[in-house]
Amino acid sequence: MADRTALPPLAMYYTVLLEGLPLGAVQLGPFSGCTGLDAHYEPFEWKEGGDNGTVVRLPGRLVYSSVKLSHQVSEKSGALLKWFTQISVTASRGSATITLFADDGQPVAYWRLQGVWPVSYTGPSLTTGPAGEAVAVETIELAHEGFMT
């Protein structure tokens, strides 16, 4: 039988803590979808004069993708929508901590984002299937200025 401690943790669920916002700290979750936790360097190519056969590639600007978060609508959903609608009046940026939990409820990893602000908000589709089994899910997309260590 395989040793369960050697197996990688499954992405069971995660939470998001928003801080430094006009509405105060907001703990959201559990979330069911998270994409965009990535960054890359734009390569800078240097073509040295006199050496037509060599192109040196150097790391250029560091670019962060927007993070898309999806979760079931809850009593805290209003806070997300309020933050999104207030951005046009007060361009406030905060921080976000995304914490991944294992199936036993223990935190496994976290990602801290700085300079976070909402780019887009998508509310739930208010339709159900024949048996009424649809779950109301909302999505918010966050731009950020980078990962905090």
Side-chain angles (χ1 to χ4, degrees):
M1 180 154 60
D3 180 15
R4 274 218 28 98
T5 59
L7 297 175
L10 299 174
M12 296 306 289
Y13 70 97
Y14 60 96
T15 61
V16 177
L17 174 63
L18 299 172
E19 298 176 290
L21 305 174
L23 21 129
V26 179
Q27 178 77 43
L28 301 169
F31 278 79
S32 57
C34 177
T35 60
L37 286 173
D38 59 284
H40 70 275
Y41 287 98
E42 294 177 342
F44 174 75
E45 292 187 356
W46 177 262
K47 298 174 184 173
E48 188 174 342
D51 184 1
N52 294 333
T54 304
V55 176
V56 179
R57 296 187 77 187
L58 302 169
R61 180 177 302 156
L62 181 57
V63 179
Y64 297 96
S65 298
S66 292
V67 176
K68 269 191 168 179
L69 304 167
S70 302
H71 76 115
Q72 183 176 345
V73 173
S74 70
E75 68 278 354
K76 295 184 180 177
S77 294
L80 273 182
L81 187 55
K82 184 176 181 180
W83 180 37
F84 177 74
T85 56
Q86 285 181 346
I87 280 295
S88 63
V89 178
T90 344
S92 60
R93 295 174 187 232
S95 64
T97 303
I98 301 169
T99 306
L100 172 68
F101 292 91
D103 56 353
D104 62 358
Q106 295 298 313
V108 175
Y110 69 92
W111 296 264
R112 241 176 105 70
L113 312 174
Q114 64 185 355
V116 173
W117 61 279
V119 174
S120 70
Y121 171 85
T122 305
S125 296
L126 301 175
T127 60
T128 60
E133 71 277 357
V135 175
V137 174
E138 67 181 343
T139 303
I140 191 156
E141 183 176 347
L142 305 176
H144 64 96
E145 297 170 353
F147 297 111
M148 299 167 62
T149 55

